[in-house]
Amino acid sequence: MSENDCIFCKIVAGEAESEVVHDEEGVMAFMDIGAKAPVHVLVIPKEHVSSLQEVGRLPDGVAKRIFEVAQEVAENMGIAESGYAFRINNGPDARQEVFHLHAHVMGGRKMGMP
Ligand code: 5GP
Ligand code: ZN
């Protein structure tokens, strides 16, 4: 399932450019275009779900893989040891801007709570 006018679905489909750092059957990771940390990667399910409200719609294993890919990307980018923030902005009060579920992996500096 993909959704018209969803920028992350376009990235998955190869219709919009991104700097991809991981690509597998159900999950993709790419550099955040507006990096807020020295390392800032987004990990997404390829299937469109808008937020955690719809996480149950993801195929089996995909949610788990999002966590595992985050750790793999962190290892590959050299921030697994120093640590990183793994964060999902979910809904309006969290200031979610892109309504295709995504996890931020941010590191390379001290990451505080907002
Ligand atoms: P959130 O929805 O969690 O608040 O954040 C959305 C994130 O997506 C932002 O950090 C923003 O910089 C990033 N973003 C928005 N549009 C694009 C895009 O077209 N390409 C990439 N790589 N990142 C994007
Ligand atoms: Zn989408």
Side-chain angles (χ1 to χ4, degrees), residues 57-76:
R57 292 190 193 170
L58 290 177
D60 284 353
V62 167
K64 181 184 178 203
R65 281 301 294 157
I66 290 171
F67 282 79
E68 291 172 340
V69 167
Q71 174 62 18
E72 287 169 26
V73 165
E75 287 169 9
N76 292 340

Side-chain angles (χ1 to χ4, degrees), residues 55-108:
V55 72
R57 292 190 193 170
L58 290 177
D60 284 353
V62 167
K64 181 184 178 203
R65 281 301 294 157
I66 290 171
F67 282 79
E68 291 172 340
V69 167
Q71 174 62 18
E72 287 169 26
V73 165
E75 287 169 9
N76 292 340
M77 305 203 89
I79 58 167
E81 293 289 323
S82 50
Y84 57 92
F86 177 81
R87 173 172 171 154
I88 293 173
N89 295 325
N90 201 66
D93 275 2
R95 297 201 170 94
Q96 183 178 358
E97 291 174 0
V98 176
F99 281 82
H100 179 132
L101 179 64
H102 54 281
H104 298 257
V105 175
M106 295 178 285

